[in-house]
Amino acid sequence: MKTNNLGYPRIGVKRELKKTLEDYWSGQCGHEDLLLAGSSLRRHNWQLQQSVGIDLIPSNDFSFYDHVLDMSLLVGNIPERYLPLLEKLSFQEADLLFAMARGYQKDGHDITAMEMTKWFDTNYHYIVPEFRKGQKFRRFSDKPLREYREAKELGIETKPVLLGPVSYLLLGKEKEPGFHRLELLEDLLPVYVSLLEEFSALGVSWVEFDEPYLALDIDHDSYAAFVQAYQVLKATHKTGAPRILLATYFEGVADKIELLRTLQMDALHIDLVRRPEQLGELLPNLPETMLLSLGVVDGRNIWKNDLDHSLRLIGQAKDALGEERILIAPSCSLLHVPCDLAAETDSKKLPGQVKNWLAFAQQKLEEVVLLRQLASAPQDPELARKRQEHQRHIAERKNSTLIHNPKVKERLAQLSPQDFARKKPFAQREQAQVEKLRLPLFPTTTIGSFPQTAEIRRVRAQFNKGEIGQEEYENFLRKEIERVIHWQENLGFDVLVHGEFERTDMVEYFASLLQGFALTKNGWVQSYGSRCVKPPIIYGDVARPQPMTVSWAKFAQSLTKKPVKGMLTGPVTMLQWSFVRDDQPRSETAFQIALAIRDEVRDLEEAGISIIQIDEAAIREGLPLRKKDQPHYLDWAVRSFRLASAGAKDETQIHTHMCYSEFNEIIEQIAALDADVVTIECSRSQMELLDAFRDFHYPAQIGPGVYDIHSPRVPTEQEITALLEKAVQLLPARQLWVNPDCGLKTRNWPETEKALSVMVRAAQKMRARLAGTEQAMR
C-alpha cells in the first residue's frame, strides 16, 4: 500500500510566487530571479512531500500561471497573433506564457489575451486553448522533462503530471466553424507519445494523465476519443517504460466501467470524497492488474478527515484488491486549499477551537500517510493514540455550541413563498425605475471596486496593527471615496460606485462582519496567475449582527446627485468562494446568507440607495458537473438570490454580476433570478456570450463587459465601439449597459483611468449615434 499525491499548491505559504510574478511584470526583477523563485518553490514542495512520506510525488504540477496554458505551450498550440513575439531573440518561454494569459501591449505590438474561464466547478481559472481546423501540433516546451530532472538532481523520484489529451481538447474552443476539436486528436497524440518515450529513457516509473472529463457526462465521440487516445499511449509501453496512472476527480466514473476496462491503464485514481458510493460499483469490475488510487482526503475543503470513515473505504478496497494494488491519496490536486495550517497564528481571526477542526495541504498529506499507516498496522499503540486524538476533534466539531444558532434556524422555518418574489413583474418595475433614475441610453458604470493602491494597503495594515485608530482610518477611506466619486462625475459616468476601499475582498469583507464565519491570515489559494484569495471558513449558522455597508454607501451618495450603487456579494458566491461546513446541505447555508443580505438590502434602501448590486459571480461555477444533479442546485441557487433580493421596492434597481462562464446552459435560471440588470464578462469572448441572451429573448437589462480587466492592456476606443456594435446587433440598445467585465481592484490607476476614459467616450458616441432611433431615456 502506497501514498499518492496529485498536485501541491504552487504559490507558497506567504504567496511568494505572487510577489515574484508581479515584481517581474513591473520590471523590478529579472528573468533569472523569476526562474530561481520557481525552482525554490518546487524544491520546497518536493522535499516537504518526501519528508511527510508521500511515495508518488508529483512534478510538472507547478506553473508560473496556469497548467492548461502550460499544456498549450508544450504541444505548440500558440495562436497566430503571438507568433511575432517568437521572433524577438530575447523573448523567453515565460514571457510568451504571460503574453498569452495577459495580453501584450508594448514594443509596437498590441495583442489581446486568450479567453479565461473556470476550471470545472472550482474558483480556479484556466486559459482556454484555441483550436483551428487542420491544426498541427509539435513539441514546443520541455517543461515536464526539465522539472523531472530537476527533482531527480535533488534525489527525489517524481511522477510527472500531464493534462490528458482528451480533456485538453475538450477544455478548449474552436475558433472557426466547420469542425470539432476532437478531430485534432490524431495529430496531438504524437506529442504525448514522444514525451512518454523520453520519460522512459530517463527511467521514470509513473506518469499521471489527468482526465477530469472522464468523470462527466460524455457523448459517443468523447467515448471514442478516450479509446483512441489510450490505445495509442498504451501501445508505446516497452520494457522499463513508465506506468500510466489515469486520474479522474470532481465526480464518479462507475458508469464508465466498460470504458475503463477497455483503456487498461496501470492505475486509476477516483474521487471518493465527491462520490464514495462508486467504490462498491468499481471494485468487482476493475481489470485484474489495475491499481486503484483512493481519493479519500478532501482536496477541495479544509475540514479534518474523518479517519474512521476513510478507513472503512480503504478496508473495503483492501479486502477486494489486496494491499499491493492500493494507493491512498487526496481526492484531487491540493491546488484548491491553502498550504499550511501552522501559518495560522492569529487567534482573533481563527479561534483555536475552529483551528482544531481544520487541515490544509501539508496536514492533508500527513492524513494520507497516517491513513496508510493505520490501514497497514491498525494495532500499533502510537498510531491508535494519534487516531483517537484526531477523531476527538471530529466529534467536538459535531457537538460544538459554536455551530448552531436556534434563531437562524427558526427564521428559516418561517419563510413563505412570498419571501422569494418581487412584488411586481420586471416590466412594471422597469417603468418605475426609468422614472426615478432617468438614465440615458448605454448607461455607464463599473462593477464595483477600484484599484487597491499600495497606500490603501499600507494604511489598512497600520489600522490592523493598531498603529492608527478607527477615526483616522475611516477619515482616510472617506477621502478616497470622495476622490473617486468626483473623478467618476468628471469623467461622465452615469451610475457611480464608492470604490470598496474598505474591503480586502468581496467575500472576506462580509465574512468578517457575519456570525458563523472565521477568517485566516495565510489561507491563500490561487485563483489565476498571481491572483490569490483567502476563502473564509463557514463553520456555523450565519447571521448579520448589524449593517455592513450602509454607512459607506450613504456617505458616497451624499457627495453626488447621481445614483451610487450599494455593493453586496450574493449568497451563492459567498458559499462558493468559502470553505463551507459539510454537516448540513449547502442550500441551507445559502439561505442563511441570503437572509443576512436581505436585511442589508432593506437598510440600504432606507438610507436612500436606489441601485443595489448583489454579485453572483459564482452561480455558474457551482453548477454540478452531472446533468442529473443540476436541476436541484439551480432551484435552490435561484431561490437563495431571490430571497436576498425580493424584499426590495419596485423602484429599487437590483443588479447582479457574473464572472467567466458559459451562460447558455443556465440562461433560464439567469432570467429566473429576476434581477433588473445583469452584468457579465464578454470582452475575451468577443460578445459570444450574448448569443444565449438573444436566443432566449432575455427580458431584462444587460451589461456585457466591454474590456478585459484581467489584462494590463488598455483597449482602444475603436475596439470598445466594435464590441458595442456587435452587442446592438444582438440586443436592443435600450437593454444595454456599458461596463468593464469585472471589478478593478487588481489593476493600477494609470491603466484604469485610461481604459475607463476610453470606455465612457465610446458609450457616449454610441448614445449620440443611436439617440434618434432608440428611446433616449430609460
Side-chain angles (χ1 to χ4, degrees), residues 98-170:
F98 299 144
M100 293 166 72
R102 306 174 73 236
Y104 191 83
Q105 195 173 39
K106 57 184 177 181
D107 303 329
H109 297 284
D110 189 359
I111 308 172
T112 58
M114 294 174 68
E115 189 174 342
M116 182 166 69
T117 194
K118 296 291 181 75
W119 174 253
F120 297 93
D121 58 349
T122 77
N123 189 31
Y124 177 78
H125 302 64
Y126 74 91
I127 303 299
V128 180
E130 299 179 8
F131 298 116
R132 297 192 178 276
K133 189 174 184 179
Q135 182 172 340
K136 301 298 180 183
F137 300 94
R138 63 183 176 87
R139 274 269 299 285
F140 179 82
S141 166
D142 64 350
K143 177 179 178 294
L145 299 162
R146 289 198 309 264
E147 294 185 8
Y148 174 80
R149 288 193 293 261
E150 184 181 339
K152 194 75 172 177
E153 289 172 2
L154 295 170
I156 301 173
E157 176 66 24
T158 60
K159 171 197 59 175
V161 177
L162 298 169
L163 179 58
V166 181
S167 290
Y168 173 69
L169 290 172
L170 291 174

Coordinates of all heavy atoms in Angstrom, one line a residue, residues 98-170:
F98 N 3.1 34.6 -20.4 CA 2.4 35.7 -19.8 C 1.7 36.5 -20.9 O 0.6 37.1 -20.6 CB 3.4 36.6 -19.1 CG 4.1 35.9 -17.9 CD1 5.4 36.2 -17.6 CD2 3.4 35.0 -17.2 CE1 6.0 35.5 -16.6 CE2 4.0 34.3 -16.1 CZ 5.4 34.6 -15.8
A99 N 2.2 36.6 -22.1 CA 1.6 37.4 -23.2 C 0.3 36.7 -23.5 O -0.7 37.4 -23.8 CB 2.5 37.5 -24.4
M100 N 0.3 35.4 -23.6 CA -1.0 34.7 -24.0 C -2.0 34.8 -22.9 O -3.2 34.9 -23.1 CB -0.6 33.2 -24.2 CG 0.2 33.0 -25.4 SD 1.0 31.3 -25.5 CE -0.5 30.3 -25.9
A101 N -1.6 34.9 -21.6 CA -2.5 34.9 -20.5 C -3.0 36.4 -20.2 O -4.2 36.6 -19.8 CB -1.9 34.4 -19.2
R102 N -2.2 37.4 -20.5 CA -2.4 38.7 -20.0 C -2.5 39.8 -21.2 O -2.9 40.9 -20.9 CB -1.4 39.2 -19.1 CG -1.2 38.2 -17.9 CD 0.0 38.6 -17.0 NE -0.3 39.8 -16.2 CZ 0.4 40.9 -16.2 NH1 1.4 41.1 -17.0 NH2 0.0 42.0 -15.4
G103 N -2.2 39.3 -22.4 CA -2.1 40.3 -23.5 C -0.7 40.9 -23.5 O 0.1 40.8 -22.6
Y104 N -0.5 41.6 -24.6 CA 0.9 42.2 -24.8 C 0.7 43.6 -25.5 O 0.2 43.6 -26.6 CB 1.8 41.3 -25.5 CG 3.2 41.7 -25.6 CD1 4.1 41.3 -24.5 CD2 3.8 42.4 -26.6 CE1 5.4 41.7 -24.5 CE2 5.1 42.7 -26.6 CZ 5.9 42.4 -25.6 OH 7.3 42.7 -25.6
Q105 N 1.1 44.6 -24.8 CA 0.9 46.0 -25.4 C 2.2 46.8 -25.2 O 2.2 47.7 -24.4 CB -0.3 46.6 -24.8 CG -0.8 47.8 -25.5 CD -2.1 48.3 -24.9 OE1 -2.3 48.4 -23.7 NE2 -3.1 48.8 -25.8
K106 N 3.2 46.5 -26.0 CA 4.4 47.3 -26.0 C 5.3 46.9 -27.2 O 4.9 46.0 -27.9 CB 5.2 47.2 -24.7 CG 5.6 45.7 -24.3 CD 6.3 45.7 -22.9 CE 6.6 44.3 -22.5 NZ 7.2 44.2 -21.2
D107 N 6.4 47.6 -27.4 CA 7.3 47.4 -28.5 C 6.6 47.3 -29.8 O 7.0 46.5 -30.7 CB 8.0 46.0 -28.2 CG 8.8 46.0 -26.9 OD1 9.2 47.0 -26.4 OD2 8.9 44.9 -26.3
G108 N 5.6 48.1 -30.0 CA 4.9 48.2 -31.2 C 3.8 47.1 -31.4 O 3.2 47.0 -32.5
H109 N 3.7 46.2 -30.4 CA 2.7 45.1 -30.5 C 1.5 45.5 -29.7 O 1.6 46.1 -28.6 CB 3.3 43.8 -30.0 CG 4.4 43.3 -30.8 ND1 4.3 42.7 -32.0 CD2 5.8 43.3 -30.5 CE1 5.5 42.3 -32.5 NE2 6.4 42.7 -31.6
D110 N 0.3 45.1 -30.1 CA -0.9 45.2 -29.3 C -1.8 44.0 -29.5 O -2.5 43.9 -30.4 CB -1.7 46.5 -29.8 CG -2.8 46.8 -28.9 OD1 -3.1 46.1 -27.9 OD2 -3.5 47.8 -29.2
I111 N -1.6 43.0 -28.6 CA -2.1 41.7 -28.8 C -3.0 41.4 -27.6 O -2.6 41.5 -26.4 CB -1.0 40.6 -28.9 CG1 0.0 41.0 -29.9 CG2 -1.6 39.2 -29.2 CD1 1.3 40.1 -30.0
T112 N -4.2 40.9 -27.9 CA -5.2 40.6 -26.8 C -4.9 39.3 -26.1 O -4.2 38.4 -26.7 CB -6.6 40.5 -27.4 OG1 -6.7 39.5 -28.4 CG2 -7.1 41.9 -28.0
A113 N -5.3 39.2 -24.9 CA -5.1 37.9 -24.1 C -6.1 36.9 -24.6 O -7.1 37.1 -25.3 CB -5.4 38.2 -22.7
M114 N -5.8 35.6 -24.3 CA -6.6 34.5 -24.6 C -7.8 34.5 -23.6 O -7.7 35.1 -22.5 CB -5.9 33.2 -24.5 CG -4.8 33.0 -25.6 SD -3.8 31.6 -25.4 CE -5.0 30.3 -25.8
E115 N -8.8 33.8 -24.0 CA -10.0 33.7 -23.1 C -9.7 32.9 -21.9 O -8.9 32.0 -21.8 CB -11.2 33.0 -23.9 CG -12.5 33.0 -23.2 CD -13.6 32.5 -24.1 OE1 -13.4 32.4 -25.3 OE2 -14.7 32.1 -23.5
M116 N -10.4 33.2 -20.8 CA -10.2 32.6 -19.5 C -11.6 32.1 -19.0 O -12.6 32.8 -19.1 CB -9.5 33.5 -18.5 CG -9.2 33.0 -17.2 SD -8.1 34.0 -16.2 CE -9.1 35.5 -15.9
T117 N -11.6 31.0 -18.3 CA -12.9 30.5 -17.7 C -12.6 29.7 -16.5 O -11.4 29.4 -16.2 CB -13.8 29.8 -18.8 OG1 -15.1 29.7 -18.2 CG2 -13.2 28.4 -19.1
K118 N -13.6 29.2 -15.8 CA -13.5 28.4 -14.6 C -13.1 27.0 -14.9 O -13.6 26.3 -15.8 CB -14.7 28.5 -13.8 CG -15.1 29.9 -13.3 CD -14.1 30.4 -12.2 CE -14.5 31.8 -11.7 NZ -15.6 31.8 -10.8
W119 N -12.3 26.4 -14.0 CA -11.9 25.0 -14.1 C -13.0 24.2 -13.4 O -13.1 24.1 -12.2 CB -10.5 24.9 -13.3 CG -10.0 23.5 -13.2 CD1 -9.9 22.8 -12.0 CD2 -9.3 22.7 -14.1 NE1 -9.3 21.6 -12.2 CE2 -8.9 21.5 -13.5 CE3 -9.1 22.8 -15.5 CZ2 -8.2 20.5 -14.1 CZ3 -8.4 21.8 -16.2 CH2 -8.0 20.6 -15.5
F120 N -13.8 23.6 -14.2 CA -15.0 22.8 -13.8 C -15.8 23.6 -12.7 O -16.2 24.7 -13.0 CB -14.5 21.4 -13.3 CG -13.8 20.7 -14.4 CD1 -12.4 20.7 -14.6 CD2 -14.6 19.9 -15.3 CE1 -11.8 20.1 -15.7 CE2 -14.0 19.2 -16.3 CZ -12.6 19.3 -16.5
D121 N -16.0 23.0 -11.5 CA -16.9 23.8 -10.6 C -16.0 24.3 -9.4 O -16.4 24.3 -8.3 CB -18.0 22.8 -10.0 CG -17.4 21.6 -9.3 OD1 -16.2 21.3 -9.5 OD2 -18.2 20.9 -8.7
T122 N -14.8 24.8 -9.8 CA -13.9 25.5 -8.8 C -13.8 27.0 -9.1 O -14.2 27.4 -10.2 CB -12.5 24.8 -8.8 OG1 -11.8 25.3 -10.0 CG2 -12.6 23.3 -8.9
N123 N -13.1 27.7 -8.2 CA -12.8 29.1 -8.5 C -11.5 29.3 -9.1 O -11.0 30.4 -9.2 CB -12.9 29.9 -7.1 CG -12.8 31.4 -7.4 OD1 -13.3 31.9 -8.4 ND2 -12.3 32.1 -6.4
Y124 N -10.8 28.2 -9.5 CA -9.6 28.3 -10.3 C -9.9 28.7 -11.8 O -10.8 28.1 -12.3 CB -8.8 27.0 -10.2 CG -7.5 27.1 -11.0 CD1 -6.4 27.7 -10.5 CD2 -7.4 26.5 -12.3 CE1 -5.2 27.8 -11.3 CE2 -6.3 26.5 -13.0 CZ -5.2 27.2 -12.5 OH -4.0 27.2 -13.3
H125 N -9.2 29.6 -12.4 CA -9.4 30.0 -13.7 C -8.3 29.4 -14.6 O -7.2 29.4 -14.2 CB -9.4 31.5 -13.9 CG -10.4 32.3 -13.1 ND1 -10.4 32.3 -11.7 CD2 -11.4 33.1 -13.5 CE1 -11.4 33.0 -11.3 NE2 -12.0 33.5 -12.3
Y126 N -8.7 28.9 -15.8 CA -7.7 28.4 -16.7 C -7.8 29.2 -18.0 O -8.8 29.8 -18.4 CB -7.8 26.9 -16.9 CG -8.9 26.5 -17.8 CD1 -8.8 26.3 -19.2 CD2 -10.2 26.2 -17.2 CE1 -9.8 25.9 -20.0 CE2 -11.2 25.8 -18.0 CZ -11.1 25.6 -19.4 OH -12.1 25.2 -20.2
I127 N -6.7 29.2 -18.8 CA -6.6 29.9 -20.1 C -7.1 28.9 -21.1 O -6.6 27.8 -21.3 CB -5.2 30.4 -20.4 CG1 -4.7 31.3 -19.3 CG2 -5.2 31.1 -21.8 CD1 -5.6 32.6 -19.1
V128 N -8.2 29.3 -21.9 CA -8.9 28.4 -22.8 C -8.0 28.1 -24.0 O -7.7 29.1 -24.8 CB -10.3 28.9 -23.1 CG1 -11.0 28.0 -24.1 CG2 -11.1 29.2 -21.9
P129 N -7.7 26.9 -24.3 CA -7.0 26.6 -25.6 C -7.8 27.0 -26.8 O -9.0 26.8 -26.8 CB -6.7 25.1 -25.5 CG -6.8 24.7 -24.1 CD -7.8 25.7 -23.5
E130 N -7.1 27.5 -27.8 CA -7.8 27.9 -29.1 C -7.4 26.9 -30.2 O -6.2 26.5 -30.3 CB -7.4 29.3 -29.5 CG -7.8 30.4 -28.5 CD -7.3 31.8 -28.9 OE1 -6.9 31.9 -30.1 OE2 -7.4 32.7 -28.1
F131 N -8.4 26.4 -30.9 CA -8.2 25.4 -32.0 C -8.7 25.8 -33.3 O -9.8 26.5 -33.4 CB -8.8 24.1 -31.5 CG -8.2 23.5 -30.3 CD1 -9.1 23.4 -29.2 CD2 -6.9 23.1 -30.2 CE1 -8.6 22.8 -28.0 CE2 -6.4 22.6 -29.0 CZ -7.2 22.5 -27.9
R132 N -8.0 25.4 -34.4 CA -8.4 25.7 -35.7 C -8.4 24.4 -36.5 O -7.6 23.5 -36.2 CB -7.6 26.8 -36.4 CG -7.7 28.1 -35.6 CD -7.1 29.3 -36.4 NE -7.2 30.5 -35.7 CZ -8.3 31.3 -35.7 NH1 -9.4 30.9 -36.5 NH2 -8.4 32.4 -35.0
K133 N -9.2 24.4 -37.6 CA -9.3 23.2 -38.4 C -8.0 22.8 -39.0 O -7.2 23.7 -39.5 CB -10.4 23.4 -39.5 CG -10.7 22.2 -40.3 CD -11.8 22.4 -41.2 CE -12.3 21.2 -42.0 NZ -13.4 21.4 -42.9
G134 N -7.6 21.6 -39.0 CA -6.4 21.1 -39.6 C -5.1 21.5 -38.8 O -4.0 21.4 -39.4
Q135 N -5.3 22.0 -37.6 CA -4.1 22.5 -36.8 C -3.1 21.4 -36.6 O -3.5 20.2 -36.4 CB -4.7 23.0 -35.5 CG -3.7 23.6 -34.6 CD -4.3 24.3 -33.4 OE1 -5.5 24.6 -33.4 NE2 -3.6 24.4 -32.3
K136 N -1.9 21.7 -36.6 CA -0.8 20.8 -36.3 C -0.1 21.1 -35.0 O -0.1 22.2 -34.6 CB 0.3 20.8 -37.4 CG -0.2 20.5 -38.8 CD -0.8 19.1 -38.9 CE -1.4 18.8 -40.3 NZ -2.0 17.5 -40.4
F137 N 0.3 20.1 -34.3 CA 1.0 20.2 -33.0 C 2.4 19.8 -33.1 O 2.8 18.9 -33.9 CB 0.2 19.4 -32.0 CG -1.2 19.8 -31.8 CD1 -2.2 19.1 -32.5 CD2 -1.6 20.8 -31.0 CE1 -3.5 19.5 -32.4 CE2 -2.9 21.2 -30.8 CZ -3.9 20.5 -31.5
R138 N 3.3 20.3 -32.2 CA 4.7 20.0 -32.2 C 5.2 20.3 -30.8 O 4.6 21.1 -30.1 CB 5.5 20.7 -33.2 CG 5.5 22.2 -32.9 CD 6.3 23.0 -34.0 NE 6.2 24.4 -33.8 CZ 7.1 25.1 -33.0 NH1 8.0 24.5 -32.3 NH2 7.0 26.4 -32.9
R139 N 6.2 19.6 -30.3 CA 6.8 19.9 -29.0 C 7.4 21.2 -29.1 O 8.4 21.5 -29.8 CB 7.8 18.8 -28.7 CG 7.2 17.6 -28.0 CD 7.2 17.7 -26.5 NE 8.5 17.9 -26.0 CZ 9.4 16.9 -25.9 NH1 9.1 15.7 -26.3 NH2 10.6 17.1 -25.4
F140 N 6.9 22.1 -28.2 CA 7.5 23.5 -28.2 C 8.3 23.7 -26.9 O 9.2 24.4 -26.8 CB 6.3 24.5 -28.3 CG 6.8 26.0 -28.2 CD1 7.3 26.6 -29.3 CD2 6.8 26.6 -27.0 CE1 7.8 27.9 -29.2 CE2 7.3 27.9 -26.9 CZ 7.8 28.6 -28.0
S141 N 7.8 23.0 -25.8 CA 8.5 23.1 -24.5 C 8.9 21.8 -24.0 O 8.2 20.8 -24.3 CB 7.5 23.8 -23.5 OG 7.9 23.7 -22.2
D142 N 9.9 21.8 -23.1 CA 10.2 20.5 -22.5 C 10.1 20.6 -21.0 O 10.8 20.0 -20.2 CB 11.7 20.1 -22.8 CG 12.7 21.1 -22.3 OD1 12.3 22.2 -21.9 OD2 13.9 20.8 -22.4
K143 N 9.1 21.5 -20.5 CA 8.9 21.7 -19.1 C 8.8 20.5 -18.2 O 9.4 20.4 -17.2 CB 7.7 22.7 -18.9 CG 7.3 23.0 -17.5 CD 6.1 23.9 -17.4 CE 5.7 24.2 -16.0 NZ 5.2 23.0 -15.3
P144 N 7.9 19.5 -18.6 CA 7.8 18.3 -17.8 C 9.1 17.5 -17.6 O 9.4 17.0 -16.5 CB 6.8 17.4 -18.5 CG 6.0 18.4 -19.4 CD 7.0 19.4 -19.8
L145 N 9.9 17.5 -18.7 CA 11.2 16.8 -18.6 C 12.2 17.6 -17.7 O 12.9 17.0 -16.9 CB 11.8 16.6 -20.0 CG 10.9 15.8 -21.0 CD1 11.3 16.1 -22.4 CD2 11.0 14.3 -20.6
R146 N 12.2 18.9 -17.9 CA 13.1 19.7 -17.1 C 12.8 19.6 -15.6 O 13.7 19.4 -14.8 CB 12.9 21.2 -17.4 CG 13.5 21.6 -18.8 CD 13.6 23.2 -18.8 NE 12.5 23.9 -18.4 CZ 11.6 24.4 -19.2 NH1 11.6 24.2 -20.5 NH2 10.5 25.1 -18.7
E147 N 11.5 19.6 -15.2 CA 11.2 19.6 -13.8 C 11.4 18.2 -13.2 O 11.7 18.0 -12.0 CB 9.8 20.1 -13.6 CG 9.7 21.5 -14.0 CD 8.3 22.2 -13.7 OE1 7.5 21.5 -13.1 OE2 8.1 23.4 -14.1
Y148 N 11.2 17.1 -14.0 CA 11.5 15.8 -13.5 C 13.0 15.7 -13.2 O 13.4 15.2 -12.2 CB 11.1 14.7 -14.6 CG 11.6 13.3 -14.1 CD1 10.8 12.6 -13.2 CD2 12.7 12.8 -14.6 CE1 11.3 11.3 -12.8 CE2 13.2 11.5 -14.2 CZ 12.5 10.8 -13.3 OH 12.9 9.6 -12.9
R149 N 13.9 16.1 -14.2 CA 15.3 16.1 -14.0 C 15.7 16.9 -12.8 O 16.6 16.6 -12.0 CB 16.0 16.5 -15.3 CG 15.9 15.5 -16.4 CD 16.9 15.8 -17.5 NE 16.6 17.1 -18.2 CZ 15.9 17.1 -19.3 NH1 15.5 16.0 -20.0 NH2 15.6 18.3 -19.9
E150 N 15.1 18.1 -12.6 CA 15.4 19.0 -11.5 C 15.1 18.3 -10.2 O 16.0 18.3 -9.3 CB 14.5 20.2 -11.6 CG 14.7 21.3 -10.6 CD 13.8 22.5 -10.8 OE1 13.2 22.6 -11.9 OE2 13.6 23.2 -9.8
A151 N 14.0 17.5 -10.1 CA 13.7 16.8 -8.8 C 14.7 15.7 -8.7 O 15.2 15.4 -7.5 CB 12.3 16.3 -8.8
K152 N 15.1 15.0 -9.8 CA 16.0 13.8 -9.7 C 17.3 14.3 -9.2 O 18.0 13.6 -8.4 CB 16.1 13.2 -11.1 CG 16.7 11.9 -11.1 CD 15.8 10.8 -10.7 CE 16.3 9.4 -10.9 NZ 15.5 8.4 -10.3
E153 N 17.8 15.5 -9.6 CA 19.1 16.0 -9.1 C 19.0 16.3 -7.6 O 20.1 16.3 -6.9 CB 19.4 17.3 -9.8 CG 19.8 17.0 -11.3 CD 20.0 18.3 -12.1 OE1 19.8 19.4 -11.5 OE2 20.2 18.2 -13.3
L154 N 17.9 16.4 -7.0 CA 17.7 16.6 -5.6 C 17.6 15.3 -4.9 O 17.4 15.2 -3.6 CB 16.5 17.5 -5.3 CG 16.5 18.9 -5.7 CD1 15.1 19.5 -5.6 CD2 17.5 19.7 -5.0
G155 N 17.6 14.2 -5.6 CA 17.5 12.9 -5.1 C 16.0 12.4 -4.8 O 15.8 11.6 -4.0
I156 N 15.1 13.1 -5.6 CA 13.7 12.8 -5.4 C 13.1 12.3 -6.7 O 13.1 12.9 -7.7 CB 12.9 14.1 -5.0 CG1 13.5 14.6 -3.7 CG2 11.4 13.8 -4.8 CD1 13.0 16.0 -3.2
E157 N 12.6 11.0 -6.6 CA 11.9 10.5 -7.8 C 10.4 11.0 -7.8 O 9.7 11.0 -6.8 CB 11.8 8.9 -7.7 CG 11.0 8.2 -8.7 CD 11.7 8.4 -10.1 OE1 12.9 8.6 -10.2 OE2 10.9 8.3 -11.1
T158 N 10.0 11.5 -8.9 CA 8.7 12.1 -9.0 C 7.9 11.4 -10.1 O 8.4 10.7 -10.9 CB 8.8 13.6 -9.3 OG1 9.4 13.8 -10.6 CG2 9.5 14.4 -8.2
K159 N 6.6 11.8 -10.1 CA 5.6 11.2 -11.0 C 5.2 12.4 -11.9 O 4.4 13.3 -11.4 CB 4.4 10.6 -10.3 CG 3.2 10.3 -11.1 CD 2.0 10.1 -10.2 CE 1.7 11.4 -9.4 NZ 0.5 11.3 -8.7
P160 N 5.7 12.6 -13.1 CA 5.2 13.7 -13.9 C 3.7 13.7 -14.1 O 3.1 12.6 -14.4 CB 6.0 13.5 -15.3 CG 7.2 12.7 -14.9 CD 6.7 11.8 -13.8
V161 N 3.1 14.9 -14.0 CA 1.6 15.0 -14.2 C 1.4 15.8 -15.5 O 1.9 16.9 -15.7 CB 1.0 15.7 -13.0 CG1 -0.5 15.9 -13.2 CG2 1.3 14.9 -11.7
L162 N 0.6 15.2 -16.4 CA 0.2 15.9 -17.6 C -1.3 15.9 -17.7 O -2.0 15.0 -17.4 CB 0.7 15.1 -18.8 CG 2.3 15.0 -18.9 CD1 2.6 14.0 -20.0 CD2 2.9 16.3 -19.2
L163 N -1.9 17.0 -18.2 CA -3.3 17.1 -18.6 C -3.5 16.1 -19.8 O -2.8 16.3 -20.8 CB -3.7 18.5 -18.9 CG -5.1 18.7 -19.3 CD1 -6.1 18.3 -18.3 CD2 -5.3 20.2 -19.7
G164 N -4.4 15.2 -19.6 CA -4.6 14.2 -20.7 C -5.1 14.8 -22.0 O -5.7 15.9 -22.0
P165 N -4.8 14.1 -23.1 CA -5.1 14.7 -24.4 C -6.6 14.9 -24.7 O -6.9 15.9 -25.3 CB -4.5 13.6 -25.4 CG -4.4 12.4 -24.6 CD -4.1 12.8 -23.2
V166 N -7.4 14.1 -24.2 CA -8.9 14.3 -24.5 C -9.4 15.4 -23.7 O -10.1 16.3 -24.2 CB -9.7 13.0 -24.2 CG1 -11.1 13.2 -24.5 CG2 -9.1 11.8 -25.0
S167 N -9.1 15.5 -22.4 CA -9.5 16.6 -21.6 C -8.9 17.9 -22.1 O -9.6 19.0 -22.1 CB -9.2 16.4 -20.1 OG -10.0 15.4 -19.5
Y168 N -7.7 17.9 -22.5 CA -7.1 19.1 -23.1 C -7.9 19.7 -24.3 O -8.2 20.9 -24.3 CB -5.6 18.9 -23.5 CG -5.0 20.1 -24.2 CD1 -4.8 21.2 -23.5 CD2 -4.8 20.0 -25.6 CE1 -4.2 22.4 -24.2 CE2 -4.2 21.1 -26.2 CZ -4.0 22.3 -25.5 OH -3.5 23.4 -26.2
L169 N -8.3 18.8 -25.2 CA -9.0 19.2 -26.3 C -10.4 19.7 -25.9 O -10.9 20.7 -26.4 CB -9.1 18.1 -27.3 CG -7.8 17.8 -28.1 CD1 -8.0 16.5 -28.9 CD2 -7.4 18.9 -29.0
L170 N -11.1 19.0 -25.0 CA -12.4 19.3 -24.6 C -12.5 20.6 -23.8 O -13.5 21.3 -23.8 CB -13.1 18.2 -23.8 CG -13.4 16.9 -24.6 CD1 -13.9 15.8 -23.7 CD2 -14.4 17.2 -25.7

